[in-house]
Amino acid sequence: MLQIENLHVSIGNIKILKGINLSVNSGEIHAIMGPNGSGKSTLANVIAGKPEYIIDEGNISFNNTSIDNLTPDERANLGIFLAFQYPVELPGIPMKQFIKTSLDAKLKSKNMKETTIREFNEILKVESENIGIDTKLIKRSVNEGFSGGEKKRNEMLQMALLKPELSILDETDSGLDIDALKTVGQSVNKLSTEENATLIVTHYQRLLNYITPTKVHVLIDGKISKSGDAQLAKDLELRGYDWIKSLT
Amino acid sequence: MNKIKNHFENIQQIKYLNKLSGISRINELRSNGMDSFINSGFPAEISNSEKWKFSNINPIAREKFSLVSEIDKYTTTSLDNSLINHNANTNRLVFIDGQLDKNNTDIGSISDDCLISTFNNSDSKSNKIINNNLGNLINIENDIFSAINSAFINDGLLINIKKNTKITGPISLLFITTNRDKKIATFPRVLIVCEEGSESSIIEGHVSYSDQPSLNVPVVEINLNNRASLNHYRYMIDNPKGYHIANTKVSVNEKSHYNSFSFSTGSKITRNELEINMNEKYSYCNLNGLYITSDKNHIDNHININHKNTHTKSNIFYKGILKDSSKAVFSGRVLVERNAQKTQATQSDKNLLLSPNVRINTKPSLEIYADDVQCGHGATASYFGDEAMFYMQSRGIDKKTSEQLLILGFAEEIVEQIPSLSIRKFFSDILIHRSI
């Protein structure tokens, strides 16, 4: 599904990713772990198409098509979803309008009919209850005045509604209490099928107590230094990132 | 007289100027206004003053305008209904090129609660109110546009809301400039006197269908007696060549409440002057405004609030959206006089810049001579957040739609201040129409 080959990325004059190779197939959950500043968030953002990152070398393809030249919305409508590390507040834009516009854009890109307001309200109600998001929040502007946990639940709500083929979670676990962490874990597990895939970017192993990854990759200084199965995350938790650094 | 002929080409043909009005105050204002204009001339000579520092009005001085004496034939169907019918039950007065258009005017349902009369058609009761109030709030000697407006007073409008009456629906005034083969000048004049304890809402719209550099110089004087409250909604939709120089003067008295919402868009040069005198204790004003500039538009909001008594409260909240190579000016001056203790005053102007070629001069200022007051002011100007754009696009929303949503979201904070739902919807609709 996702194929990354020899990816070199910079922002301004700073080289951040220095030759990433990664292959994610349908039905898989991959965890990208690494210390601060190793390039984890850059990798997540560059897949979603954040404009300020420059691809110096290599390429990213999704379902066998290169997406390097696609805008973020075109990538999203192909089925790529990024749950933000810091979801952005959008004052004055009502949650319902935002989510419906987003859902309709996806349907439209697939030449499908937009949802009616009634249909949309019904789906929104069901998913909000599943995620445990307070219905009062749905009446507010997007993320405005939401707590850290509420913002992350909102990301999970959008993910559940958009049903992406590839979900990328950029440090979704950071700053979360145990309950919210559990919600994120449950959301990912619930949405995981043989047809889709998840890429979890995280600093800590704790989210992986709820989600068992197919593969774990350790990113150090812009390169994947080690890959393994779920056990690798546990080893890291015990031995720290210095252990990987000492191996390289 | 030559000075006037330089700017208005057909002045001799305008019959009403040679005829004395039945209202002595109008004759006096016309004559004083004309004298003042002849003495001071057009704004070219005053453009170096502090008051006009950021707005160059020389282009107006260079034009030669035509005055209109009668409404020429036009088709009412060509008027954009969305600008008129914001509420089917609205009482409305439509002025075409400065004169009342009876076909589109309908004030049947409110005539018992208030006195509405044009200056050309007023009875002795109206005349008395006009004689006592008209021109009291303007300064003909020091403000050239109030002077010109006064010199050319013709079919002005008096609205007198009677004591302790509550008018449920808004009274809508629509001033339309039609498209002609010449540059026309119009001088709408409105006097609003809200008697004690009355409550009302007035919508004042200025819409230009002209593709000429027409000039519109409205003067609105509002006198709020004790415990009166008025919601004043003002919108201006002009063409990119038009000039709009408006003066609104308000006198707010004990426990009375002036609530205004201003929306401006288009026009080569727009200047909205708003002066509020908080004369008596416990008076309150709340001023909200939104301006959207594009192309080479220039919109200048110039606000003065004078706190003259204790326990008065004012609030200014304006927002601007600037596109292309446009320019906006915000000048808010709040004066707290020595005896205006316990004054509360806040003002804020926030701007969203959509192009690197726009320019904003924002200058909120406070001048405080009392020592027991709570006052604050602030201004911001910022570009679209890249993070916000990326967030929206990452949800599949294309760039253009994302921008539109962000613009409307930015404006929403002002629009949501409008108390009436139907009027809020009317402004939201114009906003969607104008910002996209």
Side-chain angles (χ1 to χ4, degrees), chain A residues 26-27 45 50 63 100 104 111 130 153 156-157 159-160 168 235:
Chain A
S26 299
N45 281 292
K50 193 172 190 183
N63 291 334
K100 188 171 188 308
D104 287 344
N111 289 321
N130 284 343
R153 279 179 204 265
M156 292 303 104
L157 172 66
M159 188 169 93
I168 305 164
D235 292 346

Side-chain angles (χ1 to χ4, degrees), chain B residues 119 132 139 202 223 257 303 349 355 357 391 432:
Chain B
F119 296 172
N132 287 339
N139 187 337
I202 290 175
N223 194 349
H257 185 164
I303 301 171
D349 175 51
S355 144
N357 302 321
Y391 187 62
I432 290 167

Side-chain angles (χ1 to χ4, degrees), chain A residues 145-197:
Chain A
F146 287 26
S147 71
E150 287 166 345
K151 284 180 183 169
K152 298 294 171 75
R153 279 179 204 265
N154 186 16
E155 296 293 278
M156 292 303 104
L157 172 66
Q158 293 170 47
M159 188 169 93
L161 287 163
L162 292 168
K163 298 194 172 32
E165 245 183 278
L166 173 67
S167 302
I168 305 164
L169 279 65
D170 184 10
E171 307 221 16
T172 301
D173 51 339
S174 65
L176 288 193
D177 61 25
I178 296 289
D179 288 343
L181 199 63
K182 216 169 158 180
T183 307
V184 171
Q186 283 166 351
S187 300
V188 172
N189 288 330
K190 209 173 153 197
L191 289 169
S192 282
T193 64
E194 283 306 308
E195 277 75 50
N196 60 31

Side-chain angles (χ1 to χ4, degrees), chain B residues 49-90:
Chain B
S49 73
E50 183 66 25
K51 194 177 156 187
W52 292 96
K53 194 172 173 183
F54 298 112
S55 292
N56 175 11
I57 36 185
N58 286 342
I60 299 176
R62 285 198 291 267
E63 300 281 6
K64 196 160 192 174
F65 302 101
S66 284
L67 297 163
V68 182
S69 60
E70 283 172 52
I71 309 179
D72 293 348
K73 281 189 180 165
Y74 66 91
T75 49
T76 44
T77 46
S78 68
L79 300 178
D80 182 349
N81 279 332
S82 69
L83 298 172
I84 304 173
N85 295 332
H86 34 78
N87 184 338
N89 302 318
T90 296

Side-chain angles (χ1 to χ4, degrees), chain B residues 169-396:
Chain B
I171 302 169
S172 173
L173 320 179
L174 183 60
F175 297 90
I176 289 172
T177 303
T178 58
N179 191 21
R180 293 164 185 248
D181 54 2
K182 53 194 173 192
K183 309 164 191 173
I184 57 171
T186 48
F187 304 94
R189 183 73 176 238
V190 182
L191 172 64
I192 300 168
V193 180
C194 300
E195 303 289 0
E196 261 186 64
S198 65
E199 286 175 37
S200 52
S201 295
I202 290 175
I203 305 177
E204 177 197 346
H206 297 269
V207 178
S208 173
Y209 291 90
S210 170
D211 54 19
Q212 298 277 335
S214 295
L215 173 68
N216 185 21
V217 184
V219 170
V220 177
E221 292 173 89
I222 300 172
N223 194 349
L224 286 171
N225 285 298
N226 296 350
R227 293 181 295 103
S229 96
L230 173 69
N231 292 319
H232 181 197
Y233 306 95
R234 194 175 186 287
Y235 64 97
M236 191 280 285
I237 298 170
D238 213 325
N239 81 65
K241 291 181 189 163
Y243 304 108
H244 180 93
I245 311 284
N247 259 293
T248 307
K249 309 271 182 186
V250 189
S251 160
V252 192
N253 291 299
E254 194 172 313
K255 292 184 184 163
S256 57
H257 185 164
Y258 176 70
N259 190 19
S260 94
F261 173 80
S262 149
F263 176 84
S264 314
T265 179
S267 170
K268 187 172 177 183
I269 300 172
T270 293
R271 164 93 153 194
N272 297 316
E273 281 195 29
L274 178 55
E275 182 184 285
I276 318 281
N277 287 297
M278 313 288 288
N279 294 323
E280 303 290 342
K281 56 191 175 185
Y282 298 106
S283 53
Y284 174 47
C285 74
N286 182 25
L287 317 177
N288 295 292
L290 196 60
Y291 44 96
I292 300 179
T293 57
S294 56
D295 303 319
K296 290 185 173 176
N297 295 165
H298 177 108
I299 293 185
D300 176 350
N301 281 292
H302 194 89
I303 301 171
N304 275 306
I305 300 181
N306 303 315
H307 288 265
K308 296 167 179 262
N309 216 316
T310 59
H311 295 95
T312 52
K313 195 173 165 186
S314 70
N315 176 39
I316 304 174
F317 186 23
Y318 271 59
K319 276 192 166 185
I321 297 164
L322 286 75
K323 304 187 214 178
D324 308 325
S325 302
S326 61
K327 190 178 163 189
V329 180
F330 173 86
S331 160
R333 176 177 166 270
V334 174
L335 168 73
V336 182
E337 292 187 0
R338 192 186 300 272
N339 61 342
Q341 300 295 1
K342 307 281 181 194
T343 286
Q344 289 179 46
T346 56
Q347 63 170 317
S348 161
D349 175 51
K350 295 181 182 172
N351 294 281
L352 181 61
L353 314 180
L354 300 182
S355 144
N357 302 321
V358 298
R359 190 183 164 91
I360 170 81
N361 289 104
T362 175
K363 193 182 153 208
S365 69
L366 285 164
E367 216 175 303
I368 303 172
Y369 297 97
D371 52 15
D372 183 13
V373 299
Q374 280 179 36
C375 296
H377 65 311
T380 60
S382 54
Y383 290 99
F384 253 158
D386 291 342
E387 276 296 312
M389 282 299 290
F390 176 51
Y391 187 62
M392 299 185 83
Q393 285 186 267
S394 79
R395 297 300 179 261

